[in-house]
Amino acid sequence: MIEELRNYVKDLGVDLFGVADLTAAHNFILAQGGEHIARFPRAISMGMRLLDPVVDELYRHEEPSALYSYRGLYDSVNANLDRAALLIAKRIQEAGFKAYPIPASQTVNPRKLEGAISHKLAANLAGLGWIGRSCLLITPEYGPRVRLATALTDAPLETGEQLTGGCEDCRECVDICPPKAFTGAPFNPSEPRDVRFRAHLCRDYTQRRANLLGEGICGLCVYVCPHGPTRKGN
Ligand code: SF4
Ligand code: SF4
């Protein structure tokens, strides 16, 4: 079944696919999303690659044309991922199991700026990448230049291995972030996200930019990471 699902979403434009065993993160997932999310033992993680020529333009950080292009890409990739999560969930349901799609960009806790589940955690547990100082998933193939969606399930799918890796002594995302939202602390699954990322600083910064430029999206932390395909070797 897993190969059939992998091929099915590949045809929908999904570039990265893996299945996570959520057992080890159960308490964390329960605290973030509640019982209706934590009841699922596995998660299908799907990643769609962003387009490098659009991400590479983000160095023109104050120019609305670059920001609108990135916004268009971001929204259309999210929409395609949401469709893939919906359709794979329908496939799983048709096969007699439960599945629950989680959209690519969704905030269910406005105070903590969190979704129902961390897509990055699911992707990390599925072996698609590690979590960097930017709190983004860093994939071996595309660095952080991916968007993610998740389908929770009770289908007995074979799971991947958590990927560990690291930023080593790199601090490029920490240094480039205009409101200094990253503390520079490396990812540690036993610590809350606030130890690494002050999400409200990113939100306030992008809202100020929206008032000033008409589009507030930033993405410098996605652009700058040396694991991005066009940044390798810089
Ligand atoms: S999107 Fe921009 S402001 Fe937000 S964390 Fe990344 S670099 Fe910082
Ligand atoms: S820019 Fe450097 S520190 Fe930040 S996530 Fe990428 S490798 Fe890690």
Side-chain angles (χ1 to χ4, degrees):
M1 184 180 187
I2 191 166
E3 285 312 313
E4 188 214 322
L5 293 174
R6 187 193 306 275
N7 290 331
Y8 178 61
V9 294
K10 189 174 178 192
D11 288 344
L12 298 172
V14 169
D15 298 298
L16 299 173
F17 175 95
V19 182
D21 178 351
L22 301 178
T23 313
H26 178 81
N27 290 343
F28 182 88
I29 293 167
L30 182 65
Q32 179 167 334
E35 180 53 38
H36 73 291
I37 297 295
R39 72 192 146 131
F40 291 97
R42 282 170 286 281
I44 295 171
S45 177
M46 291 168 285
M48 199 173 284
R49 181 183 181 182
L50 296 170
L51 297 171
D52 287 315
V54 178
V55 178
D56 288 339
E57 285 293 289
L58 286 174
Y59 76 91
R60 298 194 290 117
H61 191 57
E62 302 300 335
E63 295 180 35
S65 64
L67 305 184
Y68 281 115
S69 294
Y70 186 55
R71 167 59 72 188
L73 173 67
Y74 185 92
D75 288 346
S76 59
V77 168
N78 282 350
N80 277 290
L81 277 168
D82 291 353
R83 181 164 181 268
L86 168 67
L87 294 179
I88 201 171
K90 281 171 64 70
R91 278 263 160 142
I92 291 168
Q93 181 167 264
E94 282 156 14
F97 301 99
K98 292 189 176 68
Y100 192 106
I102 307 286
S105 186
Q106 179 195 59
T107 300
V108 299
N109 184 336
R111 190 176 58 80
K112 298 184 85 175
L113 298 174
E114 287 178 342
I117 186 172
S118 165
H119 294 301
K120 286 167 272 193
L121 173 66
N124 174 238
L125 292 172
L128 300 188
W130 79 86
I131 297 175
R133 280 199 172 85
S134 58
C135 292
L136 297 169
L137 185 83
I138 312 298
T139 67
E141 297 90 345
Y142 315 123
R145 296 176 178 213
V146 291
R147 297 289 304 158
L148 299 165
T150 307
L152 303 167
T153 186
D154 62 358
L157 302 171
E158 186 184 341
T159 56
E161 294 279 319
Q162 184 174 21
L163 194 69
T164 54
C167 298
E168 300 180 350
D169 57 358
C170 177
R171 289 179 55 89
E172 292 206 35
C173 55
V174 180
D175 294 339
I176 204 171
C177 176
K180 301 298 171 211
F182 305 121
T183 64
F187 176 67
N188 179 340
S190 64
E191 292 175 342
R193 187 182 67 172
D194 305 357
V195 171
R196 302 176 293 282
F197 180 46
R198 295 169 289 223
H200 65 284
L201 294 181
C202 174
R203 178 203 57 201
D204 294 349
Y205 175 70
T206 53
Q207 282 179 353
R208 281 199 303 277
R209 278 164 61 80
N211 294 337
L212 201 65
L213 303 169
E215 172 54 64
I217 201 162
C218 170
L220 282 173
C221 47
V222 178
Y223 158 75
V224 80
C225 182
H227 293 277
T230 54
R231 296 281 299 169
K232 282 181 178 157
N234 281 6

